[in-house]
Amino acid sequence: MSVLVYTESWQGRFRKSTYEAVSYASETARLLNTNVIALAFGNESDDELLKLGNYGANKVFTAKEIEKGDSKSTSELLAIISDNSNIIVFASTYTSKMTAPRLAAKIKAGIVSNVISLPSSFTPLKIKRKSFSGKAIEETIINTEKAIILLASNAYGLVECESNCEIEKIDHKSNANVTIKNQEIASGKVSLSEAEIVISAGRGLKGPENWGMIEELAKLLNAATACSKPVSDIGWRPHGEHVGQTGIVIAPNLYIAVGISGAIQHLAGVNSSKTTVVVNTDAEAPFFKAADYGIVGDAFDVIPKLIEEIKRIQ
Ligand SMILES: Cc1cc2nc3c(=O)[nH]c(=O)nc-3n(C[C@H](O)[C@H](O)[C@H](O)COP(=O)(O)OP(=O)(O)OC[C@H]3O[C@@H](n4cnc5c(N)ncnc54)[C@H](O)[C@@H]3O)c2cc1C
């Protein structure tokens, strides 16, 4: 009974969250004294597929005939491959959130999302997950024979552990009859959900014309940019940058929040950041309670100085 991992790649390269899911699956497999198999759907080269072995995968099935993003077809194939697996691991991404529930229904598996630790027991499967927008941690028990685990991003980290990895190509024609007609690509930017550093700004920036300094700081730090909900609602920034309870949930190593009050709905999407720095003119802003470092000051003074200092150091 192998541990199966669902993988995702972008432009032929596996996402960091996939390597994290394989690392997690590898340790789970070690505890169960079994091996790890992975299923890939993209146009990855053999060299790229074999990189999964650096994180513990023993075998990679690759099905190039299937459109990635077509969760009907991917879940169909996963259902076949998972015949020999009782634990199936996904990273928490948009695609996996579409695919994993379909798979769960097909194979009658219990499903647990936002997982933050390895199982503490396997019979039955007991596992910790974040709940209530990250404000609580609960232990979930899955009683079904098969279990699907969606790992919260940055919850486990990357653990290199070399293993002999082989590739097997699968020729699977899907019955799902889905065609993806168009994909719009936001290119040249660091992906928000994968970024190690995120620079985020809110209504305190007064208008979209003032985002130049945020983008400059992000570029210097190789960071992604994000924003609060009202900022994307008014159209100052694209909706893809909105973080929070109703936006993207992120867990970067460093989150810098500029001119954001720190409303509970915003914190729900960023409170798993490892280190949080807040810049706000109002010393009473709620965000300071959640910050590791706080600067009470005007963003229009603080950010240019920060940029200057980073340039000097670099
Ligand atoms: C159901 C629901 C879901 C929601 N989901 C989300 C969500 O997912 N994400 C989200 O972000 N919000 C969400 N909200 C909205 C949330 O409640 C807040 O209204 C929002 O986060 C506030 O955005 P803000 O901090 O940018 O703006 P404001 O609350 O207006 O705060 C601006 C901050 O900037 C500071 N400031 C002003 N000038 C400067 C300056 N020159 N330099 C530095 N600081 C300055 C101010 O002191 C203030 O603290 C949701 C609300 C509801 C009801």
Side-chain angles (χ1 to χ4, degrees), residues 143-173:
N143 291 314
T144 47
E145 193 187 350
K146 288 182 184 281
I148 297 177
I149 293 171
L150 271 81
L151 183 64
S153 28
N154 284 343
Y156 188 73
L158 304 183
V159 183
E160 292 203 30
C161 92
E162 264 185 49
S163 64
N164 287 332
C165 185
E166 57 181 81
I167 300 169
E168 186 173 325
K169 298 199 165 55
I170 302 177
D171 192 12
H172 177 78
K173 291 269 180 292

Side-chain angles (χ1 to χ4, degrees), residues 45 57 60 72 111 116 145 158 167 169 181 186 201 207 232 238 247 250 269 273 295 309:
S45 64
V60 186
K72 273 190 170 177
I111 181 167
I116 52 166
E145 193 187 350
L158 304 183
I167 300 169
K169 298 199 165 55
K181 289 194 172 165
S232 65
I250 55 170
S273 307
I295 302 171
E309 188 58 15

Side-chain angles (χ1 to χ4, degrees), residues 2 30 66 71 81 122 135 139 214 233 262 267-268 290 293 299:
S2 311
R30 195 189 63 79
I66 291 186
S71 58
I81 301 282
F122 289 98
K135 286 196 289 300
E139 189 166 58
I214 299 297
D233 285 348
L267 296 180
Y293 299 94

Side-chain angles (χ1 to χ4, degrees), residues 93-127:
T93 64
Y94 281 122
T95 323
S96 57
K97 283 175 194 161
M98 289 193 295
T99 310
R102 285 185 192 277
L103 175 65
K106 278 184 205 299
I107 63 172
K108 304 204 175 353
I111 181 167
V112 55
S113 60
N114 283 332
V115 166
I116 52 166
S117 70
L118 290 162
S120 58
S121 121
F122 289 98
T123 45
L125 190 103
K126 274 192 200 166
I127 204 157

Side-chain angles (χ1 to χ4, degrees), residues 190-241:
V190 180
S191 152
L192 182 53
S193 50
E194 305 252 299
E196 301 279 339
I197 304 176
V198 174
I199 320 289
S200 189
R203 251 187 325 209
L205 249 64
K206 322 285 188 232
E209 67 281 3
N210 295 324
W211 249 263
M213 61 181 181
I214 299 297
E215 285 181 336
E216 189 179 355
L217 181 59
K219 203 166 171 199
L220 281 171
L221 296 175
N222 192 28
T225 48
C227 68
S228 64
K229 181 175 184 295
V231 160
S232 65
D233 285 348
I234 328 164
W236 292 359
R237 298 297 291 177
H239 276 291
E241 287 196 1

